[in-house]
Amino acid sequence: MGVLPVEEKRVITAQMEELRKQALENPEQFWDEKARALEWFKIWEKVLDDSQKPFFRWFVGGLINASYNCLDKHVKTWRKNKVAIIWEGEGGEIRKYTYRDLFVEVNRVASLLRNFGIREGDRIALYLPMIPELPIFMLAAARIGAIHTVVFSGFSSDSLAKRINDSKARLLVTADGGFRRGKIVPLKEIADKALEQTFSVENVIVVKRAGNPVNMVEGRDFWLHTLLEGVSKNTYIEPVKVDSNHPLFILYTSGTTGSPKGIYHSTGGYLVWVYWTFKWAFNLNDEDIWWCTADIGWITGHSYVVYGPLMHGLTTLMYEGALDYPAPDRVWSIIEKHGVTGFYTSPTAIRMFMRYGKNWVELHDLSSLRILGSVGEPINPEAWEWYFNIVGKGKCPIIDTWWQTETGGFMISPAAGIQLLPLKPGSATIPLPGVEADVYTEDGEPAPPGTQGYLVIKKPWPGMLLGVWGDPKRYIETYWSRFPNCYYPGDYAMRDEDGYFWILGRADEVLKVAAHRIGTMEIESALVSHPAVAEAAVIGKPDPIKGEVPVAFVVLREGYVPSLKLEEELLNLVSETIGPIAKPANIFFVHKLPKTRSGKIMRRVLKAIVKGEESLGDLSTIEDASAIEELKSLVGV
Ligand code: WT7
């Protein structure tokens, strides 16, 4: 592969330019051709319907099935005996599923779902650890046209309940427990608590994983292994031919309000996008062993642990546990053991490995690696260089992919499968074909090269979200209102003289903590639900490993005084309401928050104080400047 960062004049190559030109000048023709890489039961009548914008619809009238494209397509060929999933448990067990094995299990589970009365369009919630049953249930749902909504197994019962209620899931699939750093997370118990606050779930299927005791509700809860005893290995469930715009899944993600948004994706457009972006960016083939370390509870796992690799007939590795458990070289030992060739992880993980030191890396033979990827947050050049030199030994390009839950797949990324442009540490390079990105000023003018502005996408693309589940207004307001006729991702960006994009972090009240997306409002509303709390403001503080961490400022009600015990209580409350990943790194008890005269919390001032910045910016609108002194002394600047 040998295309490395070089110092010479960076030019966009003819090959890349040609493809981008075709995609942007004649998108209908371009995608009409590209979409045929997938198997369709019926070809679309129209490639793009923009009559209801911004509710763009792709491949209108086409009929397709995701499970068919991931499984049936391959079991018809020599790939039926190829390993589809290599699974490694945290304790070291290994399970391998060939495409044929996966096909068999998905059909059996699909028949179970049918027996529970699940039909096309019904939602099923999957609250599972990283075990093969998770992709099996996803594909089984897709097979019968049911819509899956995967809930990250690190989320709390409240978070799970919210997602079940919003999606009105009829069935919940969970496990007795999941392993995390050798300990058991009692998933069924957490799910039981969630079910006390929900009304739509009729049945629960429980996967036996950790062996911890659970409470099974007679007539409602069923063990998967018991159910499967009655289902033959020859079971075949005809894949339902769904409309291209039939939702494949709903995935909840944080926004700027207290409640997460149900991002839902189409079947046809989403699959076409994931198929091509994966091929363009990473260019993998049958010899590759692909490992994306993301949990399937996030979009990265949906698109590039499950759907992307399986559509391409690749071998995808799934690992159950923490990347540094039981020792800091776990990740390197997995790469060595399974001969991983493509490795895709987050900058937070890279910074963590960096801190452990290169000796842990050098204990292992990583010569199988040929391509590396990064996702989830901006990668700092220092982490990039370490990844490139220490992990990739200076031989593997780093594919820094910018995208979001909403975009379905990669948007701005180096493209090893088209033509790799010279890489610059910290830049995701240029948009992939079909993505027309720009950087706008506050007023919606193109920002001059080298200046910071807002990233915008100016044309629809096949992988775009269909909408926000049950809330079309929120879809329009969040994504299509900031700048006219543009999709607004909510990120700051800068384009340099060579046309390369640099993503500079969130422009809204969303944090990226260890590459996970968390809304400051969600944390604030958890905090104010405590009787002692009158007001709360949460901001992100830069963190050397996690990128940023939440920091909370809390004003107590009359009659309450700050204490360590109260702090502990508040931290637990956040953990229980959202999940441990949302826990603030610090809670500062203050008498007053900096507010404008119209009563808006000045988060940028809090941010500047926490960062220890000299200048706090324009303070002319502040209601009471005395708030600042208290904050400064508390934070210690
Ligand atoms: C937000 C989306 C995309 C899958 C994982 C996260 C940030 C994502 C990058 C990158 C800089 C990045 C953005 C984006 N982000 N990838 N390569 N460089 N920032 O999906 O949870 O929907 O978060 O993650 O801020 O908007 P998500």
Side-chain angles (χ1 to χ4, degrees), residues 251-254 263 294 298-301 304 344 347 374-379 399-410 412 426-428 455 487 489-492 502-508 510-512 515-518:
L251 186 59
Y252 287 83
T253 188
S254 294
I263 303 302
W298 312 105
I299 190 69
T300 312
Y304 303 108
Y344 185 42
S374 172
V375 63
E377 53 185 321
I379 183 164
I399 310 298
D400 178 2
T401 58
W402 174 84
W403 60 297
Q404 312 180 290
T405 305
E406 293 86 341
T407 69
F410 311 144
I412 304 179
S427 167
L455 185 63
Y487 170 83
D491 279 319
Y492 287 123
W502 299 74
I503 311 296
L504 305 171
R506 298 290 310 186
D508 56 9
V510 168
L511 305 183
K512 296 292 313 202
H516 301 321
R517 188 159 154 184
I518 299 167

Side-chain angles (χ1 to χ4, degrees), residues 2-19:
V3 181
L4 303 176
V6 289
E7 295 312 318
E8 79 241 25
K9 176 101 188 84
R10 298 166 202 281
V11 282
I12 294 175
T13 61
Q15 218 170 319
M16 183 66 172
E17 200 42 23
E18 180 54 32
L19 211 56

Side-chain angles (χ1 to χ4, degrees), residues 262-282:
I263 303 302
Y264 68 109
H265 277 282
S266 71
T267 306
Y270 168 80
L271 291 178
V272 168
W273 190 247
V274 170
Y275 182 95
W276 282 104
T277 52
F278 195 34
K279 192 174 174 61
W280 285 333
F282 285 94

Side-chain angles (χ1 to χ4, degrees), residues 541 551 553 588 590 606 608-612 629-637:
K541 176 178 104 173
V551 169
F553 293 86
F588 294 110
V590 297
L606 291 171
I609 291 174
V610 162
K611 283 193 190 166
E629 287 319 305
E630 182 194 26
L631 287 166
K632 279 191 172 171
S633 65
L634 265 176
V635 175
V637 287

